[in-house]
């Protein structure tokens, strides 16, 4: 089994510091095609950048940097007999803007992550996901994609129109072209009842299957150095049920405690690392339960203002308890101090070639470290634990794997490499990160 190579991340970090050759913000599709075609003809590489949420240099380039800020908004809505709809939006549309557009038409995404600052293109290209045992990531909701190729050709793709290219267009790190528009299958707007409660970690793990399968959306946060967790259960409710969250309570929980006080906790842990276990124990026991009902997007999304580094891996759901036990054991043995909770979420298996949930019921484990604290020893140790159960890293989060290992982890990875080579034979849409992920084919570029 391959082990992570630390040099890989250092190389990516050096690349991330490089200045782009040129930055462009095309005003429309025609200008986008002109820029891409011209850059390719001049031998420059091209990368589109979204909301800048990724922890990898996936969007970095020394060639042409594209910002899709003008390729936004609602293009069309096709209503379906079952009440769902196909909605086509510009690829540069931010998720918070998409949620507002959908709500205005009585629609919603069936599942979301907890951050809404990403662009649609960035979110689907890196495999962004939420939580829910019967639900997939955002890319599973994509039914169509419009891309611009290196020759400037505009292609509309779907499962019926060039299905193999469609696979990498909706989840492939922008490796086959620049996304210009995306068609999503969305659902009628719905409301969620949110229940957030502190639990003993052992009770969460003992009843895990019931919690995961018995709720529309379930996740929990485990505070390292403790046996305490914060659980979150979100379930659909009817329009007649009311339980609004008082704005003062919302401010206290989301801004004061989750961001203000938590930021102070991390600064104290940075200055006095040995105090971390005690701080975590106090923080875990200070949490109080809350319940409220709100439109789905308002429940899914949480404000995040603390700066941190993150690594997240998808592991087989059946292996989760063992993985957490291994991490707990390493933390005790190593003396590492981690003030940030681990976040655990769930997803259904799917058939997308590069989905982290491809072919298996999945649990996601995200580890974080405050930006001013050392992270590499912790992340690399946890990555080795994930490797023991064939964990797959989130495409937008830190990791130390390369194409050889991805070939072992993804049954259709060779197909992804083949389609990438066919669609972009000159490596226009690559950079050192994607070359590491897919295998460097054009080192001279």
């Amino acid at each position: 089994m391959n082990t992570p190579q630390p040099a890989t991340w250092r190389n990516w970090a050096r690349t991330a510091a490089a200045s782009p050759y040129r930055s462009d913000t095309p005003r429309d599709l025609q200008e986008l095609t002109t820029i891409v075609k011209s850059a390719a003809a001049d031998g420059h590489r091209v990368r589109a950048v979204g909301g800048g949420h990724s922890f990898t240099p996936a969007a970095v380039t020394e060639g042409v940097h594209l910002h899709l800020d003008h390729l936004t908004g609602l293009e069309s809505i096709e209503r379906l007999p079952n009440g769902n709809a196909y909605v086509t939006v510009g690829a540069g549309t931010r998720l918070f803007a998409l949620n507002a557009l959908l709500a205005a038409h009585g629609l919603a995404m069936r599942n979301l992550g907890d951050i809404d600052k990403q662009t649609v293109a960035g979110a689907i290209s890196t495999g962004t996901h939420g939580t829910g045992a019967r639900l997939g990531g955002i890319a599973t909701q994509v039914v169509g994609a419009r891309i611009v190729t290196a020759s400037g050709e505009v292609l509309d793709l779907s499962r019926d129109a060039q299905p193999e290219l469609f696979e990498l267009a909706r989840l492939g790190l922008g490796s086959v072209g620049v996304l210009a528009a995306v068609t999503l299958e969305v659902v009628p707007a719905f409301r969620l009842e949110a229940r957030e409660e502190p639990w003993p970690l052992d009770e969460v793990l003992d009843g895990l299957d019931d919690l995961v399968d018995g709720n529309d959306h379930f996740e929990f946060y485990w505070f390292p150095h403790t046996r305490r967790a914060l659980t979150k259960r979100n379930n659909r409710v009817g329009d007649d049920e009311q339980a609004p969250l008082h704005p003062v309570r919302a401010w206290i929980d989301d801004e004061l405690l989750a961001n203000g006080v938590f930021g102070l906790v991390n600064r104290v842990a940075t200055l006095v690392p040995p105090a971390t276990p005690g701080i975590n124990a106090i923080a875990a026991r200070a949490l109080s339960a809350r319940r409220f009902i709100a439109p789905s997007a308002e429940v899914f999304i949480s404000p995040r203002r603390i700066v941190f580094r993150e690594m997240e891996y998808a592991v087989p759901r059946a292996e989760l308890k063992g993985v957490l036990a291994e991490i707990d054991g390493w933390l005790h043995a190593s003396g590492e101090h981690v003030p940030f909770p681990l976040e655990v979420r769930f997803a259904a298996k799917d058939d997308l070639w590069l989905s982290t949930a491809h072919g298996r019921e999945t649990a996601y484990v995200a580890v974080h470290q405050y930006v001013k604290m050392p992270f590499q020893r912790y992340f690399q140790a946890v990555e080795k634990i994930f490797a023991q159960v064939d964990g797959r890293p989130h495409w937008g989060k830190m990791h130390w794997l390369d194409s050889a290992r991805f070939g072992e982890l993804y049954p259709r990875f060779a197909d992804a490499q083949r389609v990438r080579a066919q669609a972009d034979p000159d490596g226009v849409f690559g950079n050192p990160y994607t070359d590491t992920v897919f295998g460097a084919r054009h080192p001279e570029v």
Side-chain angles (χ1 to χ4, degrees):
M1 183 171 292
N2 293 350
T3 55
Q5 298 299 315
T8 304
W9 177 257
R10 289 199 294 270
N11 290 339
W12 293 345
R14 283 196 292 268
T15 303
S19 299
Y21 169 81
R22 188 172 82 240
S23 180
D24 278 302
T25 307
R27 291 166 292 184
D28 52 32
L29 180 60
Q30 182 176 355
E31 187 172 351
L32 172 61
T33 61
T34 300
I35 292 170
V36 172
K37 185 176 181 180
S38 175
D42 291 340
H44 299 305
R45 291 182 126 179
V46 178
R47 295 296 290 167
V49 61
H53 182 66
S54 288
F55 291 81
T56 71
V60 169
T61 184
E62 293 178 332
V64 176
H65 231 175
L66 292 175
H67 299 262
L68 306 181
D69 297 345
H70 295 310
L71 298 180
T72 61
L74 181 62
E75 181 177 311
S76 66
I77 298 178
E78 179 187 347
R79 302 280 179 173
L80 303 176
N82 64 358
N84 293 353
Y86 291 157
V87 175
T88 300
V89 296
T93 305
R94 300 295 181 111
L95 291 181
F96 65 83
L98 171 64
N99 291 333
L101 287 170
L102 294 177
H105 292 275
L107 300 167
M109 299 285 286
R110 60 166 51 91
N111 201 12
L112 286 166
D114 57 6
I115 304 293
D116 63 358
K117 301 300 185 290
Q118 309 99 311
T119 62
V120 173
I124 67 170
S125 296
T126 57
T128 296
H129 62 90
T131 190
R134 295 175 291 277
L135 298 163
I138 295 180
T140 65
Q141 302 170 55
V142 176
V143 296
R146 182 178 302 142
I147 66 168
V148 175
T149 69
S151 65
E153 185 179 8
V154 178
L155 300 177
D156 285 304
L157 310 172
S158 69
R159 284 188 179 273
D160 298 322
Q162 301 192 53
E164 291 195 329
L165 194 57
F166 175 58
E167 279 292 332
L168 292 195
R170 61 174 170 167
L171 205 175
L173 294 170
S175 60
V176 295
V178 177
L179 274 168
V182 174
T183 300
L184 300 154
E185 183 176 7
V186 297
V187 300
F190 60 99
R191 299 162 74 241
L192 289 170
E193 177 191 46
R195 289 185 178 271
E196 301 176 4
E197 298 173 329
W199 280 40
L201 177 64
D202 294 322
E203 288 187 20
V204 174
L205 297 179
D206 288 344
L208 191 61
D209 286 340
D210 289 339
L211 289 167
V212 175
D213 296 327
N215 291 281
D216 293 335
H217 312 270
F218 174 75
E219 64 184 300
F220 69 92
Y221 294 80
W222 164 44
F223 291 80
H225 317 294
T226 79
R227 301 300 292 177
R228 303 292 297 177
L230 174 67
T231 64
K232 293 190 175 186
R233 293 175 287 169
N234 300 329
N235 290 286
R236 290 190 178 215
V237 294
D239 292 338
D240 57 332
E241 296 193 48
Q242 302 293 327
L245 180 62
H246 193 280
V248 174
R249 174 67 189 273
W251 181 83
I252 291 174
D253 287 339
D254 295 333
E255 295 297 339
L256 179 60
L257 296 179
N259 288 290
V261 174
F262 188 54
L264 177 61
V265 164
N266 278 274
R267 290 192 291 274
V268 172
T270 302
L271 295 173
V272 191
T276 300
I279 291 172
N280 284 9
I282 293 171
R285 292 191 175 277
L287 294 171
S288 60
R290 68 173 179 173
R291 169 185 176 268
F292 63 95
I293 295 173
S296 58
E298 295 180 23
V299 175
F300 287 135
I301 305 303
S302 300
R304 293 286 185 268
R305 310 195 199 288
I306 308 302
V307 182
F308 54 83
R309 294 184 177 92
E310 181 178 2
M311 179 174 72
E312 181 179 54
Y313 264 71
V315 301
R317 178 175 152 181
E319 302 287 354
L320 174 63
K321 294 179 185 179
V323 165
L324 295 182
E326 289 280 341
I327 294 174
D328 191 33
W330 183 84
L331 288 171
H332 282 293
S334 68
E336 192 80 6
H337 299 109
V338 180
F340 247 94
L342 281 76
E343 182 180 17
V344 181
R345 292 177 287 176
F346 302 88
K349 65 180 178 181
D350 60 53
D351 62 355
L352 278 66
W353 287 2
L354 296 183
S355 168
T356 46
H358 179 95
R360 67 192 192 192
E361 303 294 332
T362 294
Y364 291 97
V365 180
V367 297
H368 310 74
Q369 187 64 292
Y370 184 51
V371 69
K372 294 183 179 180
M373 296 185 72
F375 69 94
Q376 190 159 312
R377 177 172 177 249
Y378 172 39
F379 283 15
Q380 288 182 337
V382 173
E383 186 169 55
K384 290 179 181 178
I385 293 172
F386 292 141
Q388 296 171 10
V389 295
D390 286 341
R392 299 165 177 162
H394 187 301
W395 294 110
K397 309 292 173 68
M398 296 173 67
H399 66 86
W400 283 266
L401 304 192
D402 58 19
S403 60
R405 181 61 176 144
F406 287 126
E408 298 170 349
L409 294 173
Y410 287 90
R412 302 300 298 270
F413 194 74
D415 291 315
Q417 291 175 306
R418 170 179 55 81
V419 172
R420 178 191 181 224
Q422 293 169 347
D424 185 23
D426 296 320
V428 172
F429 300 113
N431 68 6
Y433 175 74
T434 60
D435 288 344
T436 299
V437 167
F438 291 106
R441 294 171 40 258
H442 302 280
E444 75 282 359
V445 177

